[in-house]
Amino acid sequence: MKLPKKIPKKFYGYFWDVDAKKVDPSKKPYFVIQRLLDKGDENSVRWVRRNFSENIIKETFTKMRDFSPWVGNFWQQFLKINRSEVLCLQKHYLSMRRSHWPY
């Protein structure tokens, strides 16, 4: 599967902390997938699923921990990933997260 070279303009708002025009999804697929699945809407999820293989999406959950636990839990079940492999669902990360954001 050929990865996209640019993020569609309609998703730039999800990349508020970087210059979205310069983000190349083919070079930073985990970053793009993480941001769009965690912060995005239904359209961004569709775009990710059309443009990235299921394997790359699964790998993102095993390499990036910056998903909310709710998002991580949903995709862990949806993609049938072993829960122990999903970084954002590991106990040490969840306890650290609760100490920063106690809600």
Side-chain angles (χ1 to χ4, degrees):
M1 172 178 274
K2 187 176 179 185
L3 298 180
K5 294 281 188 188
K6 295 190 182 253
I7 298 168
K9 284 184 181 181
K10 63 184 173 183
F11 302 137
Y12 282 7
Y14 299 120
F15 296 89
W16 64 87
D17 57 339
V18 297
D19 186 351
K21 293 176 204 164
K22 293 181 181 178
V23 175
D24 182 345
S26 68
K27 292 182 180 174
K28 301 281 187 186
Y30 301 137
F31 172 67
V32 171
I33 293 168
Q34 185 277 327
R35 187 62 62 95
L36 291 176
L37 292 185
D38 193 58
K39 309 285 188 238
D41 61 7
E42 187 177 334
N43 291 324
S44 61
V45 171
R46 284 189 183 124
W47 185 82
V48 167
R49 296 200 63 221
R50 274 195 314 268
N51 289 282
F52 297 93
S53 71
E54 189 170 297
N55 283 338
I56 292 176
I57 297 170
K58 285 181 178 182
E59 284 177 19
T60 303
F61 285 92
T62 65
K63 296 188 184 299
M64 304 283 287
R65 68 178 186 174
D66 295 332
F67 288 98
S68 76
W70 301 276
V71 170
N73 191 55
F74 170 81
W75 287 103
Q76 176 265 319
Q77 291 180 38
F78 185 84
L79 297 171
K80 296 177 177 66
I81 306 169
N82 187 328
R83 186 177 178 88
S84 66
E85 294 178 32
V86 179
L87 293 183
C88 70
L89 298 178
Q90 293 183 8
K91 287 182 183 180
H92 67 277
Y93 178 69
L94 291 172
S95 63
M96 180 193 67
R97 183 180 170 89
R98 278 189 211 102
S99 71
H100 292 273
W101 301 280
Y103 47 86

